[in-house]
Amino acid sequence: MDDFLAARSQMALSLGFHIIFSCIGMVMPFFMAVSHFYYLKTKKQVYKNITKAWSKGVAIFFATGAVSGTALSFELGLLWPEFMKHAGPIFGMPFSLEGTAFFIEAIALGFFLYGWDRFNPWFHWVTGLVVGISGIVSGILVVAANAWMNSPAGFDYINGEYLNIDPIKAMFNDAWFSQALHMSIAAFCATGFAVAGVHAFMILKKKNIEFHAKSFKIAATFACIAALVQPLSGDISAKDVAKRQPAKLAAMEAHFQTERRAPFIIGGIPDEKNKKVDYAIKIPGLLSFITYGDINAEVKGLDQIPEEHHPPVAITHYAFQIMVGLGMIMMLISLLYFYQLWKKKEILSTKWLLKLFAIATPMGFIAVEAGWTVTEVGRQPWIIYNVMKTSEAVTPMPGIVYSFYIFTVIYLSLSFVVGFMLYRQIKMVDKIYDIPNDSVQKH
């Protein structure tokens, strides 16, 4: 493995772990706020128990997210110094604002964790809500910085120099809204299905049923709404990518030839050497309709893009297929869930639906990882789209491969520790907040 590949692999590893911690840190406070609201309105102890249990999970992921996020900020400077030298002054504003949002989130979380029976109950609830709002703002600001890499704005690039810098225009670039919307909804979907899946599994094991049933309903409702809304944001993103990054769209769909009535490809194995896709299901005209709203529209293929500017087609295509496929499965589960609610059927009696949620526990996060793979790999060979290549930004320092190995061990160890802490937390919940099964109320 050469140093360039090692640097890219280290960033991919770091982002891959951090994005999970970030999504949970962004979304769980809203679940916590809902259960806390129910407690304040109903005074039922079970909702207070749920809020306290979830707040401990939020604290765990906040701490790990802070550590992994700090590591990422150092990696940007150490692994990609040429990129930061030129890009830092342009898109530094969202990162500095993200730091402010992070501090607000940390202060609000401290107030919430230690504010039980010390603050006015509704002020205490607001501090928990602020944790979620600042977390969402923090995530949007980071995505805005990434969107700038896909749609650079706020400067003039003249003779290799970055002039007339406008940080506001850079932050609100053409891609920030579509990426921030898609990522925020994905975070709710992924975290919701993960949390609902864990509680569904515990219900199936007949552990502390009332606690897990009410927790499941809150998380599942968030998850299913997000899963049904996500295709709309996906459509916005697809149209945006078609306009700004035709090479990425072509790689996503393994679309080698420019053509009208371009088919939407499901599955298939891209053959980059012979410029074709084997074993794929093709729906004529659908790609043209999705991207331009016209079944006869022409969609640009990789044949109109210089080969040295082609993204890795196979990786981008497979990641896109995984993201869309898992998204469709979660949509189906969501429709079944809301159908059961509409029919006023007791969720606890539909074991098959609980099993589906349990199976779907990791799906959202796998889809998120696949989506970020599409975003990052699909932009290659550029680190700043059409301005600076990734190979031009990497550090000349040797020995990066050893750094990659060390970080791999650190992140695997961190994952083991977090998993162990969550396992202990779940076990403690069932011991501390155990409620007899015969007291379960219908909901």
Side-chain angles (χ1 to χ4, degrees), residues 84-101:
M84 292 303 295
K85 173 185 174 182
H86 297 291
I90 304 172
F91 77 105
M93 180 174 285
F95 275 132
S96 61
L97 293 175
E98 190 274 337
T100 303

Side-chain angles (χ1 to χ4, degrees), residues 219-235:
T221 301
F222 272 102
C224 293
I225 292 173
L228 294 175
V229 172
Q230 186 68 305
L232 300 177
S233 72
D235 180 64

Side-chain angles (χ1 to χ4, degrees), residues 135-313:
I136 287 287
V137 171
S138 179
I140 289 173
L141 288 166
V142 170
V143 171
N146 178 268
W148 178 84
M149 297 164 69
N150 287 301
S151 181
F155 65 97
D156 293 323
Y157 187 63
I158 303 172
N159 297 326
E161 301 218 6
Y162 299 79
L163 306 173
N164 303 321
I165 293 173
D166 183 348
I168 299 295
K169 189 175 180 181
M171 184 166 65
F172 295 108
N173 56 79
D174 290 342
W176 85 269
F177 176 76
S178 61
Q179 281 196 211
L181 179 66
H182 197 60
M183 184 62 227
S184 298
I185 297 173
F188 275 93
C189 184
T191 305
F193 268 98
V195 174
V198 170
H199 288 295
F201 179 74
M202 299 306 291
I203 294 169
L204 290 168
K205 290 185 68 176
K206 302 186 185 307
K207 295 290 184 76
N208 200 351
I209 293 180
E210 183 178 20
F211 177 94
H212 291 295
K214 293 188 182 299
S215 302
F216 168 82
K217 188 173 183 180
I218 293 171
T221 301
F222 272 102
C224 293
I225 292 173
L228 294 175
V229 172
Q230 186 68 305
L232 300 177
S233 72
D235 180 64
I236 294 172
S237 295
K239 286 179 169 59
D240 182 62
V241 168
K243 179 182 177 181
R244 293 181 301 95
Q245 295 177 296
K248 179 184 287 187
L249 178 70
M252 288 161 57
E253 274 295 301
H255 186 60
F256 290 102
Q257 305 299 324
T258 301
E259 59 183 313
R260 295 186 180 278
R261 293 181 62 87
F264 184 84
I265 294 176
I266 301 174
I269 301 174
D271 182 349
E272 296 184 57
K273 182 179 179 180
N274 297 308
K275 313 298 182 188
K276 63 176 184 175
V277 185
D278 297 320
Y279 314 114
I281 299 172
K282 298 183 179 182
I283 305 175
L286 184 57
L287 182 60
S288 294
F289 182 77
I290 289 174
T291 51
Y292 297 109
D294 180 0
I295 197 171
N296 294 309
E298 181 179 271
V299 179
K300 190 175 183 180
L302 289 168
D303 59 332
Q304 290 193 13
I305 298 165
E307 193 155 344
E308 63 270 21
H309 295 167
H310 287 191
V313 177

